[in-house]
Amino acid sequence: MAKNGTAEAVKRILDDMGFLKIALQNDLVNYSALARFITPLVEEKTGNKDASVDAIIMAIRRNIKTSMQEDQRNQLLKIIGDS
């Protein structure tokens, strides 16, 4: 549960921090610093008091990649719909 729980917790936390979206997509955020900052939140959401900072960093990277792909897909659908 730790890996899936961590990934889901990171996704929910980053969704709640919508103000970071543009900075994350443009690689303006230090992932290690962000991971250390949100570690207590991840631990609270997962109930795991030993959440790995490395696992959180990986979850952040994957979340950003997925988010960017979804944004590109939505933009393409909008362009197709407008044409």
Side-chain angles (χ1 to χ4, degrees):
M1 175 178 165
K3 289 184 181 178
N4 291 337
T6 299
E8 182 59 31
V10 168
K11 181 181 181 340
R12 285 187 281 153
I13 291 166
L14 292 180
D15 287 346
D16 290 345
M17 296 180 165
F19 56 90
L20 285 177
K21 185 175 182 177
I22 292 172
L24 287 167
Q25 288 178 342
N26 290 292
D27 203 25
L28 300 174
V29 175
N30 180 316
Y31 298 150
S32 180
L34 178 59
R36 287 190 308 270
F37 179 74
I38 67 171
T39 294
L41 299 171
V42 171
E43 290 174 345
E44 179 183 317
K45 288 191 181 295
T46 62
N48 178 8
K49 294 300 178 189
D50 297 323
S52 165
V53 172
D54 291 332
I56 295 171
I57 292 170
M58 184 57 67
I60 291 169
R61 287 184 177 152
R62 287 182 180 156
N63 186 283
I64 293 165
K65 184 178 178 182
T66 302
S67 174
M68 288 175 63
Q69 289 172 345
E70 288 174 2
D71 287 348
Q72 289 172 349
R73 185 178 327 120
N74 291 338
Q75 288 175 355
L76 179 60
L77 291 174
K78 183 180 182 323
I79 291 169
I80 291 171
D82 290 345
S83 63

